Amino acid sequence: MSEVKLKLGIPGKYEERVVTLPEGEPKPYDADSKLSVVGSRHPRLDGFAKVTGQAKYAHDIRLPDMLYAALLSCPHPHARVKSLDTSAAENMPGVKAVVAAADQHVRFAGQYVAAVAAETLEQAERACRAIKVDYEPLPFVVDLEEARQPGAPKVFDNRDSNVRAADPTERGNLAEGFAAADAVVEATYKTQVQTHACMETHGLVAHWEAPDKLKVWSSTQGTFAARDNLARRFELGAENVEVITEYMGGGFGSKLGLRDFESAAVELARKAGRPVHLMVDRKFEHLSTGNRPNSVQVMKAGCTKDGKVTAWQVDSYGTSGIGGGAGVANPSVYDFPAVRKTSADVYTNAGPGCPMRAPGHPQGIFAVESMMDELAYKIGMDPVEFRRKNNSHPIRDAEFELGMKAIGWERRNQTPGAGPGPLHRGIGVASGRWSNVGERRNSRIQVRVAIHPDGGVEVENGAQDLGTGTRTIVGLLAAEELGLPVEALTVKIGHTSYPYGPASGGSSTAPGLAPTVRKAALLARRRLFEVVAPALQAQPEQLECRDGKITVVSDPGKTMDWKRACGLLGTTPINELATRSDNFDGWQAEAAGVQFAEVEVDVETGRVRVLKVVVVQDCGTVLDRLTAESQVIGAVIQGISYALLEDRILDRTTGVMVNPNLEQYKIAGSWDMPEIEAIMYDAAIGYNNAGVNGLGEPPVTPTAAAIANAVYNAAGLRMRELPITPWRVLAADAARRGGRS
Amino acid sequence: MTTPFTYLEPAGLADASRLARQEGAMLKAGGIDLLDEMKEGLVAPEKVVRLSALKGMDRIEVKNGKLRIGALVTLATVAAHKQVREHARILAAAAGQAATPQIRNAATVGGNLCQRPRCWYYRHEDFPCRKKGGDQCFAETGENRYHAIFAADGPCHIVHPSALGTALAALGGQILVFDGQKSRSVAVEQFFALPSVDVTRENVLQPGEIIEAVEIPSAKGKKSAYHKQRERLAADWPLAEVAVVYEVKNGAADGVRLVLGHAAPIPWRCPTAESYLSGKKIDAGAAAEAARLAMAAAAPLAQNEYKVPLFTVLIARALMAAEKGEPA
Amino acid sequence: MGDPEERERKEEGLRLSRRGFLGVSGAAVGVLALPTAAQEKALAESGIKAKVIGPAAVPISLKVNGKSYNIKVDTDTTLLSALRDHLQLTGTKPACGRGACGACTVHVSGKPMCSCMMLAVDAADQDILTIEGLAKGQVLHPIQAAFVEFDALQCGFCTPGMIMAVKALLDANPEPSDEEIREAVAGNVCRCGTYPRVFQAARAAARRMKSARVLPEGGRL
């Protein structure tokens, strides 16, 4: 154990912290760290593979003798499978194996009931249609409000009702809070169901190399989770299951577990004795692979005329289909002295929700930040000033300053909706949050760094890259520690034969891996220095390596290039495996982030165009400024898409999704793009030796709220329901003009 | 899921027509709509008649003040073609804003006019709606935000998806239909048919009949505009679409043709508004009144009431844009 | 709440549909069709002049990235499937299957097309360019290089289609406006949200390709 003094915080708010670190731990990054590679704008290491089409995704795996699988799903939202006859399908051309789902009680339209493997995908699809299923349709409900009513058809027979309420939470004195309020706003906010709609659909290629040895190429966010799930499901030792995910086409939370239909493909491969390729089609992807649950948030909040929120009350409910987890992050972002919250999951006969990029947050923060806006306008206070009065997060406060400057906050409308003509422009603001500085203790994450006698360096970890740039940050961190250009390293990821890596959920990948990469690289470098030191007539701790040269710090004339130094290893490579250390104390574990949106609203057509978004986002140490900005920009775009377009639409009377495609499930495209200015806000936060907070989630959390607030500032129309479509804007405008809404 | 078919490549149009009369045969030009239907399992033709190799059907020419566009001309070509831009600029605009660049390179004029509706109940294999021979319209009381606000008696509430149809109707275009022996010319309004005529079809083509070309009286010198609004700004079906063409005689509008797309199961002409405008100088007041008249008979469904104010403003704006000579 | 009677009626409809109401069910229609020779004979007898392709798998030649491949495909095989499953050229991606996302964009006779909405038999003997045909060995095409430099990709699954769409634009229009760039990729969906970077990369690539053309004669930038 050793004590280290760190300078943590942000400009103007630095603090000295003394932290205790285990032996061998690299000195954590802090405000005084001089980094050359980490924090630069480095193009992603797998760019070449991706732009040439050489990158192999699970979908692209082609093995000798490989079969293709297709799924049969149930058209009914609720039914019992009375009988399922696969005999005709089994005799169809090319068909090699058929399996039926274990669960004969189908609870949503689109649920998988059987799978076929055949020589071609077309043969498998045709055979699926030849499977004769006799369904007993059961009463169902897909509408959130309908499902809450007493007497509604029950999704699960063994429950009293479809409503599963969480324990209410209460802190502070709500009655006193409202009594102290000068202004009170009551409003109900609603958000829709959003699907992940990954470009690469779910699926895998399963290959039984021996009766007890399974190899799977999976489009997964968690190679090791997939491995462990497969091992359990097929009763194999984890060492006999290999999962490979060198590239994957997006997950956003939906590819964290092994799905029943994926197991079916593995089962088909076992039955047929041949590799099986299953990638689900777009319709199935929308219906069955997860979604962000919808929400209704019934709210009442009050504040004083000088801008302090005194009471906050929210009753929320939403449906995650047959799944759970429809809770929302409300309250969130700000600190309120008195809060009362109730929430409930409502079961419906719809595909199960699952984590989606900041679960609960975009929906919760849409309500939180809309309500903050309503309160601010009600007391006539600058919406940013109002927020700052209720904010205790130092980074967020600084980010507001930067964001106001970048967007030109003073240009906003002093009177929302004022001005002649149909086109109105305005600016809105919202802030987000997330927190993930990595597992606090007892992490299983390991990284191996090998230095070979020929000078080659390998960095290995089995985690996957969702497209966030994991491969690249691993390379940058190792290069920084070793004093080498990134190009000199080989980064190997996405394979369970490499050391254990985290599943990419909750923005955990970077804070999990980054400190471990540093540690492994440092260990390897120390070993090399021990070998090299005698040749340079120095002690190992007197050496440093920069730009591929090992030098005695006090005597720069004594130097040796990397390759020669490695040559001194003889025939024994350095091979260091590091395990992630426990977190230590830090300065600020929560990421903030603020967004300002400028929009143009045509109040006659209801069209909302986002013109500009300024996003100021922190994540502790910025590891690669280029890919970090990309991730932030991408999150904003998903937020725009959520705010204005996306909606999973179920036909209420049949329970069938009517837009299970990429044509009528509308995802923002090129013409929907505003100018997006991404400002990465550097902060020295501690907690792990790389000072890294997760970045995937936080920037998606406030975008919809910022847009809705901008629509209000522009047109004077308060949009309390997502998506903000032309018909909703027109209805709001009609209501304002005294017409019917 | 698709099924292999016999692919027939006729030597000439007459051969194509005879092949198309065969049981289980379907015509294919660019193939975008047909493949979409096949993939969804809505059709499984035993035979597909390939039109794309037919000679002479991919030409654009101007003769006797008429623009003639072959049925196999792609939307991309229509959009970019100098003569189309000169004589029928709103047709070029409609073609250029339809679908996506990739689709416009494949989709043809004939295919665009004959494409089946985009109604999500029709396009979903699980809904046996009237148009597919079933006995109900799922949209009538279902999810109908994108459906028709005219022809409320149904019995089907689709909107016709053809952008070219809307523009051609405004241009007073004719559709040349080859019936196996000879060609006949059908006015665009007569070409499209309401569901009340035959719910399973959107036009009057009989088996074996093939669109050969469209003919358009030159609109050079006329006032015209094509406006639409989409929800998604990149490549989306319009929520509302307006095309207008008229001449100015003695400072007043004459021969006004005002057509709405995505309002009804066919490109929807607005005769009351047209006759109101005839002989009037088009200004903001006249445009607003015409828009009001055009919407007077609208009978929206539960979720598409917004289309009424939307069309109202788009019509007025299109008229003013045409009057001011703004780009189509 | 919905009207229960109506609900029942609609639900009944769904069941009918799955029983093969539409006549599109398991039994492959093509199986019943007559073989090519028999159909040719029947046509000749009836005096119809037409070439008969299929219904059994047919040999075709695909010219992809300058190389000819002789393969046998079904008449309903898409170009996308021919590329990925027959030729193992998996750089072209399947994502929506309906021409709505552009991930499968390739050039056919120089034009960007959705290969998922084109039959392989229709693409026979035409020049097809896929993402695999852009780089020269380790040297990236300027558009590819710009995509890497400006980080116009995240998960990378839409990237080949995006690049092919941008390439089609710059081939036809070496100095596009910002609006023309937006329209060129209006048919391409990216879920990670790379569009602004794609615009940047396209602009940069256009500039560089122009300088590369100007330099040999002009000798300066």
Side-chain angles (χ1 to χ4, degrees):
Chain A
M1 300 297 242
S2 63
E3 286 198 338
V4 182
K5 203 185 276 177
L6 299 177
K7 183 175 162 189
L8 300 181
I10 54 172
K13 290 197 172 79
Y14 286 120
E15 289 173 22
E16 246 179 33
R17 288 282 175 96
V18 177
V19 298
T20 309
L21 301 173
E23 240 18 88
E25 184 73 5
K27 182 181 187 268
Y29 292 158
D30 72 355
D32 289 335
S33 297
K34 299 274 176 290
L35 304 173
S36 53
V37 186
V38 167
S40 68
R41 304 179 66 82
H42 202 286
R44 56 188 74 219
L45 301 184
D46 47 15
F48 183 94
K50 286 178 176 177
V51 299
T52 52
Q54 289 174 13
K56 295 281 181 241
Y57 297 75
H59 217 319
D60 302 335
I61 300 301
R62 299 291 180 270
L63 302 176
D65 283 336
M66 189 177 83
L67 301 171
Y68 290 84
L71 301 175
L72 176 69
S73 34
C74 174
H76 302 282
H78 197 185
R80 214 180 305 277
V81 175
K82 287 200 291 193
S83 68
L84 192 145
D85 178 3
T86 59
S87 51
E90 279 160 17
N91 292 320
M92 301 242 330
V95 173
K96 298 295 166 195
V98 181
V99 298
D103 194 355
Q104 300 292 290
H105 190 148
V106 182
R107 287 193 173 81
F108 66 93
Q111 191 172 333
Y112 135 82
V113 291
V116 177
E119 298 284 353
T120 70
L121 180 60
E122 292 73 21
Q123 287 172 336
E125 287 176 343
R126 268 171 234 142
C128 275
R129 292 189 184 230
I131 297 173
K132 291 190 186 71
V133 192
D134 193 7
Y135 293 106
E136 179 198 346
L138 301 169
F140 66 91
V141 60
V142 295
D143 181 76
L144 172 62
E145 296 299 339
E146 260 182 60
R148 295 172 73 218
Q149 303 305 317
K154 281 199 289 181
V155 176
F156 295 99
D157 313 330
N158 57 349
R159 299 192 61 91
D160 292 340
S161 80
N162 294 322
V163 180
R164 192 181 69 179
D167 290 337
T169 55
E170 185 152 3
R171 63 167 193 268
N173 188 320
L174 202 73
E176 277 177 20
F178 279 119
D182 298 308
V184 171
V185 172
E186 287 186 67
T188 297
Y189 304 94
K190 295 181 185 180
T191 64
Q192 76 282 34
V193 174
Q194 178 184 31
T195 68
H196 301 70
C198 314
M199 291 308 286
E200 183 187 34
T201 58
H202 282 60
L204 48 73
V205 175
H207 179 31
W208 290 87
E209 295 179 310
D212 61 349
K213 209 164 170 350
L214 175 64
K215 189 169 181 174
V216 165
W217 289 260
S218 173
S219 186
T220 182
Q221 290 178 242
T223 45
F224 290 91
R227 180 197 66 180
D228 295 347
N229 284 329
L230 284 163
R232 216 170 303 130
R233 167 69 179 74
F234 292 94
E235 296 175 344
L236 300 167
E239 68 284 1
N240 286 333
V241 181
E242 202 178 335
V243 173
I244 303 168
T245 308
E246 275 224 58
Y247 299 93
M248 58 93 70
F252 312 108
S254 68
K255 293 178 178 172
L256 285 164
L258 178 75
R259 305 302 185 95
D260 54 357
F261 55 87
E262 291 174 320
S263 295
V266 180
E267 184 59 37
L268 285 170
R270 181 154 75 176
K271 255 181 120 166
R274 288 169 63 177
V276 166
H277 177 284
L278 170 76
M279 298 304 295
V280 307
D281 66 18
R282 182 54 57 188
K283 191 185 274 184
F284 192 91
E285 183 76 10
H286 274 302
L287 294 167
S288 298
T289 65
N291 55 66
R292 182 189 296 288
N294 59 11
S295 75
V296 174
Q297 299 169 63
V298 183
M299 293 189 67
K300 181 179 173 187
C303 67
T304 60
K305 59 180 184 298
D306 59 352
K308 286 296 279 186
V309 172
T310 55
W312 190 269
Q313 183 184 321
V314 51
D315 300 299
S316 88
Y317 55 93
T319 182
S320 186
I322 63 165
V328 293
N330 180 0
S332 174
V333 179
Y334 305 101
D335 310 308
F336 306 126
V339 171
R340 190 168 78 205
K341 174 177 184 174
T342 69
S343 65
D345 275 356
V346 181
Y347 292 112
T348 53
N349 292 104
C354 76
M356 179 166 183
R357 204 171 191 173
H361 279 67
Q363 53 270 54
I365 289 176
F366 168 65
V368 169
E369 283 288 32
S370 292
M371 175 55 90
M372 291 297 280
D373 225 50
E374 298 209 38
L375 289 168
Y377 279 104
K378 188 145 189 182
I379 60 166
M381 186 176 278
D382 174 341
V384 172
E385 193 191 341
F386 182 76
R387 283 168 170 81
R388 293 176 80 172
K389 283 187 184 239
N390 291 283
N391 168 53
S392 61
H393 195 305
I395 301 178
R396 181 176 293 121
D397 199 61
E399 288 172 336
F400 275 128
E401 283 283 350
L402 276 179
M404 281 161 67
K405 258 192 216 107
I407 194 79
W409 178 240
E410 69 289 348
R411 297 184 298 117
R412 74 191 186 279
N413 279 323
Q414 291 311 314
T415 311
L423 296 181
H424 295 263
R425 287 186 178 196
I427 302 173
V429 63
S431 182
R433 71 158 296 279
W434 194 256
S435 175
N436 198 331
V437 289
E439 300 153 304
R440 299 200 155 265
R441 56 189 75 254
N442 302 326
S443 176
R444 292 166 67 195
I445 297 167
Q446 294 190 315
V447 171
R448 191 176 75 91
V449 172
I451 301 175
H452 294 281
D454 65 357
V457 178
E458 287 175 309
V459 190
E460 281 183 1
N461 175 274
Q464 58 297 315
D465 186 338
L466 276 83
T468 55
T470 303
R471 197 184 309 261
T472 308
I473 59 155
V474 166
L476 297 190
L477 286 153
E480 181 79 49
E481 215 56 45
L482 295 170
L484 293 174
V486 188
E487 293 71 21
L489 314 180
T490 303
V491 179
K492 297 161 101 176
I493 63 164
H495 205 300
T496 54
S497 64
Y498 304 149
Y500 183 88
S504 296
S507 299
S508 61
T509 322
L513 281 183
T516 325
V517 172
R518 283 197 71 203
K519 191 174 169 186
L522 177 70
L523 289 174
R525 188 188 75 191
R526 282 187 182 151
R527 288 275 171 275
L528 182 66
F529 283 6
E530 280 165 16
V531 173
V532 175
L536 290 171
Q537 292 123 25
Q539 295 302 312
E541 53 278 8
Q542 293 174 304
L543 302 184
E544 67 166 14
C545 183
R546 261 185 212 188
D547 304 325
K549 277 195 169 28
I550 296 171
T551 308
V552 180
V553 179
S554 56
D555 186 357
K558 288 182 181 169
T559 181
M560 187 183 292
D561 78 30
W562 177 268
K563 207 165 171 174
R564 244 192 85 211
C566 293
L568 299 176
L569 294 170
T571 54
T572 317
I574 292 168
N575 204 331
E576 288 295 331
L577 184 69
T579 303
R580 191 185 188 281
S581 304
D582 292 348
N583 275 5
F584 52 85
D585 212 16
W587 179 68
Q588 185 56 251
E590 180 160 310
V594 303
Q595 294 186 19
F596 288 81
E598 181 171 11
V599 304
E600 180 184 84
V601 182
D602 184 333
V603 294
E604 290 180 359
T605 64
R607 190 187 72 170
V608 174
R609 265 180 64 208
V610 184
L611 303 172
K612 182 168 183 172
V613 174
V614 167
V615 44
V616 190
Q617 184 64 55
D618 55 291
C619 62
T621 308
V622 177
L623 299 176
D624 179 344
R625 213 160 287 273
L626 180 65
T627 58
E629 281 174 10
S630 291
Q631 207 175 349
V632 167
I633 290 168
V636 168
I637 292 170
Q638 265 184 15
I640 293 169
S641 198
Y642 179 59
L644 301 181
L645 295 166
E646 294 179 41
D647 199 357
R648 182 202 67 183
I649 303 166
L650 299 181
D651 179 69
R652 281 157 303 160
T653 46
T654 59
V656 175
M657 180 178 178
V658 291
N659 58 342
N661 46 48
L662 290 185
E663 173 209 346
Q664 284 171 317
Y665 185 89
K666 300 179 184 188
I667 292 172
S670 64
W671 284 108
D672 304 293
M673 288 307 105
E675 178 194 346
I676 302 174
E677 185 179 344
I679 302 169
M680 295 308 299
Y681 191 85
D682 299 78
I685 61 167
Y687 292 103
N688 57 62
N689 74 42
V692 168
N693 208 327
L695 180 59
E697 252 106 344
V700 83
T701 62
T703 312
I707 291 170
N709 291 338
V711 170
Y712 179 74
N713 183 252
L717 300 173
R718 182 55 69 184
M719 304 308 299
R720 297 194 181 99
E721 183 171 2
L722 299 181
I724 303 169
T725 57
W727 53 88
R728 293 206 170 102
V729 173
L730 287 173
D733 189 51
R736 174 176 56 182
R737 284 185 284 105
R740 44 175 312 220
S741 64
Chain B
M1 183 206 72
T2 57
T3 308
F5 46 81
T6 305
Y7 205 23
L8 298 165
E9 199 173 291
L13 196 54
D15 300 303
S17 172
R18 289 184 64 191
L19 289 173
R21 276 170 223 269
Q22 296 189 343
E23 184 72 27
M26 291 183 79
L27 293 168
K28 172 178 162 296
I32 299 293
D33 197 47
L34 180 62
L35 261 172
D36 193 47
E37 289 214 309
M38 288 169 65
K39 287 183 176 206
E40 183 62 27
L42 305 185
V43 298
E46 202 178 314
K47 296 170 185 174
V48 173
V49 183
R50 183 182 189 220
L51 299 177
S52 31
L54 290 177
K55 300 266 180 301
M57 278 171 67
D58 59 352
R59 281 205 293 264
I60 298 177
E61 57 199 354
V62 180
K63 251 198 267 177
N64 310 327
K66 271 190 178 172
L67 177 68
R68 182 190 159 109
I69 304 174
L72 292 178
V73 175
T74 63
L75 299 191
T77 303
V78 173
H81 200 274
K82 194 169 162 279
Q83 287 178 310
V84 181
R85 288 174 163 230
E86 189 181 333
H87 295 284
R89 63 182 201 136
I90 62 166
L91 188 69
Q97 293 170 38
T100 72
Q102 290 91 328
I103 300 298
R104 293 197 293 269
N105 282 328
T108 64
V109 168
N112 183 275
L113 293 169
C114 293
Q115 68 184 307
R116 306 306 310 271
R118 302 304 309 179
C119 167
W120 46 29
Y121 295 105
Y122 172 74
R123 289 276 162 180
H124 197 302
E125 62 173 335
D126 287 350
F127 292 100
C129 73
R130 285 200 181 105
K131 194 161 272 305
K132 291 182 280 195
D135 64 356
Q136 53 187 316
C137 172
F138 289 84
E140 208 162 75
T141 54
E143 297 297 326
N144 51 33
R145 68 200 63 176
Y146 301 130
H147 287 77
I149 55 169
F150 290 106
D153 52 338
C156 157
H157 298 272
I158 61 150
V159 291
H160 202 282
S162 173
L164 299 192
T166 306
L168 281 174
L171 288 160
Q174 303 275 320
I175 294 176
L176 285 185
V177 176
F178 181 75
D179 68 4
Q181 261 111 46
K182 56 184 187 329
S183 295
R184 66 190 157 97
S185 185
V186 183
V188 171
E189 294 103 297
Q190 263 82 59
F191 178 78
F192 295 103
L194 282 169
S196 50
V197 177
D198 180 351
V199 72
T200 65
R201 304 189 306 141
E202 293 79 53
N203 57 57
V204 300
L205 285 182
Q206 295 299 313
E209 292 191 329
I210 300 170
I211 297 183
E212 206 180 332
V214 296
E215 280 189 346
I216 305 148
S218 173
K220 195 175 170 180
K222 290 185 184 175
K223 301 271 189 188
S224 64
Y226 173 78
H227 277 210
K228 72 168 166 186
Q229 186 174 336
R230 321 189 230 215
E231 199 179 348
R232 182 179 184 259
L233 302 179
D236 195 2
W237 299 96
L239 299 172
E241 186 185 38
V242 177
V244 61
V245 179
Y246 60 90
E247 280 179 87
V248 177
K249 283 192 181 153
N250 307 321
D254 186 64
V256 183
R257 296 176 72 92
L258 175 63
V259 182
L260 312 181
H262 292 262
I266 57 171
W268 192 255
R269 273 192 78 174
C270 307
T272 327
E274 289 175 1
S275 46
Y276 165 80
L277 288 169
S278 286
K280 278 206 178 53
K281 159 109 185 90
I282 293 184
D283 57 16
E289 178 58 10
R292 193 190 64 78
L293 289 171
M295 283 297 114
L301 302 163
Q303 295 177 346
N304 65 6
E305 208 175 346
Y306 72 95
K307 283 196 177 189
V308 176
L310 181 55
F311 270 111
T312 307
V313 65
L314 284 192
I315 292 168
R317 285 183 188 179
L319 284 165
M320 292 310 292
E323 185 65 20
K324 290 178 190 154
E326 286 171 10
Chain C
M1 295 228 190
D3 169 11
E5 222 171 274
E6 180 197 348
R7 170 170 287 192
E8 201 174 304
R9 192 166 52 84
K10 288 188 177 179
E11 247 286 289
E12 181 61 27
L14 285 182
R15 261 175 286 162
L16 282 172
S17 166
R18 281 295 170 151
R19 284 188 197 141
F21 182 85
L22 302 171
V24 183
S25 61
V29 178
V31 173
L32 305 170
L34 292 169
T36 314
Q39 296 207 39
E40 277 168 346
K41 187 160 167 273
L43 287 181
E45 279 166 8
S46 62
I48 302 176
K49 270 193 254 163
K51 197 169 138 198
V52 179
I53 303 162
V58 290
I60 59 166
S61 172
L62 284 184
K63 285 200 288 182
V64 186
N65 305 328
K67 205 173 147 191
S68 281
Y69 300 84
N70 294 313
I71 54 170
K72 231 175 147 181
V73 296
D74 282 326
T75 49
D76 66 333
T77 300
T78 60
L79 175 58
L80 176 65
S81 168
L83 291 170
R84 288 178 55 83
D85 303 329
H86 294 251
L87 306 184
Q88 318 233 324
L89 290 170
T90 54
T92 305
K93 302 301 181 203
C96 80
R98 301 296 179 86
C101 78
C104 66
T105 303
V106 301
H107 294 193
V108 180
S109 294
K111 287 182 178 154
M113 302 281 218
C114 288
S115 60
C116 78
M117 294 301 267
M118 184 172 199
L119 298 177
V121 289
D122 283 348
D125 305 316
Q126 300 197 58
D127 282 317
I128 298 161
L129 181 70
T130 72
I131 191 69
E132 287 94 343
L134 260 55
K136 302 253 181 297
Q138 290 302 296
V139 182
L140 294 177
H141 184 281
I143 298 171
Q144 292 171 309
F147 266 65
V148 175
E149 184 185 338
F150 290 90
D151 203 38
L153 66 153
Q154 289 182 44
C155 83
F157 208 74
C158 76
T159 308
M162 283 280 186
I163 290 175
M164 296 312 287
V166 171
K167 171 136 196 338
L169 169 72
L170 299 188
D171 286 350
N173 178 2
E175 292 178 59
S177 66
D178 287 358
E179 286 71 28
E180 286 165 335
I181 292 171
R182 281 189 191 236
E183 184 55 28
V185 295
N188 294 73
V189 173
C190 170
R191 190 46 158 165
C192 299
T194 58
Y195 306 106
R197 302 288 213 210
V198 169
F199 305 157
Q200 266 184 307
R203 282 195 292 266
R207 274 198 307 276
R208 285 170 199 172
M209 286 160 74
K210 189 186 168 198
S211 340
R213 277 190 302 274
V214 170
L215 271 177
E217 294 105 20
R220 63 190 169 84
L221 281 173

